Amino acid sequence: MLEHFYTDICATKGWPKYLNLIPSKILNEPLSRLTGRVPSGIPEGAITTFPNFGLEYALRLRKAYSMYEYTKLFLWANKKFAKLVLDEGLKGSTLYSFNTAAFELLQAAKKQRKRTIVEQTIVPRQVERDLIREEQQLHPQWETPIPDNTFVEEYIEREEREWKLADTILCGSKFVKQKIEERGGPVERCTVVPYGVDNQFTVQPTRLSHDNKQRKVLRVLTVGSVTLRKGVPYILEAAKKLQGKANFRLVGSVRVVPEVAGYLQSHLELIGQVPRSHIHAHYAWADVFLLPSICEGSATVTYEALAAGLPVIATPNTGAIIRDQIEGFIIPIRDVDTIVEKLQLLANWPDLLAEMSESARQRAVYGSFDNYAKRLIQVFK
């Protein structure tokens, strides 16, 4: 059904494809990650990339350290990408794009009488900003505060103008749809389509061996940027309360101030960002997956955790597909005591851990690429 695919950069087009000729062990971390960007199954002739733009965007992104800088950069990148696409010519009968990257494309598509679909990958920016501000008031030393600025206001306006131009708005979770409705968006054009991941995250159930059942220390994994949005302060407090009973590992880019990062390292493993190809080993290490996010769309790391056979402890705000007390636990946001309670339950009852692990594997089928494709195609049709 895909007529053409536009993206910034991938490892199969332009100069990036030559990176595959270089031994991976001598590539630095960003270039190693780039070699994993392969749009498999899409004919090369159906792909248009803008690698120089992609490189510039990546370099700028590495220098951004505050929400102000990120917002300014995202606006620049989205407008620039849309212009590059339009300069090439908008192909296909339907435009399928992502929130805040679509406005100029949607305008053009409407003029050309194309069908328009926007995927709202996270809750509306206004909602996200309000939730993060609450977190910053609770934890004022963790991140640089978000100042009131024209870039944030422009971002919010851009997103909400896109809703008016979209024939269909795809939401990864009910949480996203609910927040669009709260912002006065066209909820009648919103459709919830949970995501999917491939089977590369499947981990053999060695963790459920006799030796692992006898192990007293529970291994707790979180994958995602180390930020207030991901609920990291509550992971830290749980780690302190469960010291000696559970090991906590955070995998993802660290976006808190250095002093906080140093304090985190004294209570848990702070791995940092790793290439996509290396993430499998961390899922294999863990017993449980924890994501007490304040704000998400539908966090695909929870899908990956299910595929790895990990019970998931998450908030409703993560948009996870887990069912409470079956594949894990749905817990309130900002609730350290409940995090500790559920982790202790799984640590003390290895049979429950094993049962939830098996349920997680079964639930992962619903969150597979194949079933995601079926859900998505139903919307297209």
Side-chain angles (χ1 to χ4, degrees), residues 146-316:
I146 304 173
D148 289 318
N149 64 82
T150 55
F151 295 116
V152 173
E153 297 304 325
E154 182 183 350
Y155 194 104
I156 293 168
E157 181 184 4
R158 179 182 178 87
E159 186 174 58
E160 296 187 357
R161 289 172 74 184
E162 287 176 344
W163 298 343
K164 296 177 182 178
L165 292 168
D167 296 320
T168 303
I169 303 169
L170 295 181
C171 306
S173 66
K174 292 179 181 178
F175 180 62
V176 173
K177 181 179 178 180
Q178 173 191 344
K179 295 305 177 183
I180 290 177
E181 183 175 19
E182 288 180 11
R183 287 294 300 161
V187 69
E188 71 281 358
R189 286 187 268 125
C190 292
T191 301
V192 176
V193 181
Y195 297 136
V197 298
D198 62 25
N199 61 6
Q200 68 170 304
F201 298 99
T202 301
V203 176
Q204 295 302 316
T206 54
R207 68 171 64 87
L208 301 180
S209 67
H210 175 76
D211 289 344
N212 282 5
K213 284 187 177 183
Q214 296 303 312
R215 178 158 39 82
K216 298 297 183 183
V217 179
L218 193 71
R219 294 176 177 178
V220 183
L221 175 68
T222 300
V223 176
S225 56
V226 179
T227 59
L228 290 176
R229 185 167 71 84
K230 298 292 183 180
V232 174
Y234 311 104
I235 299 173
L236 172 63
E237 291 305 311
K240 289 160 66 175
K241 288 177 177 287
L242 291 172
Q243 189 170 6
K245 298 178 182 177
N247 291 335
F248 289 75
R249 177 180 291 185
L250 270 59
V251 179
S253 58
V254 180
R255 297 181 184 175
V256 294
V257 300
E259 294 79 8
V260 171
Y263 185 63
L264 283 169
Q265 286 179 312
S266 65
H267 292 282
L268 44 77
E269 282 188 89
L270 204 58
I271 302 297
Q273 193 167 16
V274 301
R276 191 77 179 147
S277 56
H278 295 177
I279 200 71
H280 182 277
H282 296 286
Y283 286 110
W285 168 86
D287 298 312
V288 182
F289 191 84
L290 172 63
L291 191 66
S293 286
I294 304 301
C295 179
E296 297 280 356
S298 183
T300 53
V301 290
T302 60
Y303 295 68
E304 295 169 0
L306 292 175
L310 297 179
V312 174
I313 299 174
T315 63

Side-chain angles (χ1 to χ4, degrees), residues 195-199 364-375:
Y195 297 136
V197 298
D198 62 25
N199 61 6
V365 175
Y366 175 78
S368 67
F369 266 159
D370 287 345
N371 282 316
Y372 173 51
K374 292 174 184 177
R375 292 191 287 271

Side-chain angles (χ1 to χ4, degrees), residues 91-104:
K91 301 175 184 178
S93 57
T94 297
L95 172 69
Y96 178 11
S97 190
F98 300 92
N99 59 302
T100 72
F103 180 64
E104 295 82 3

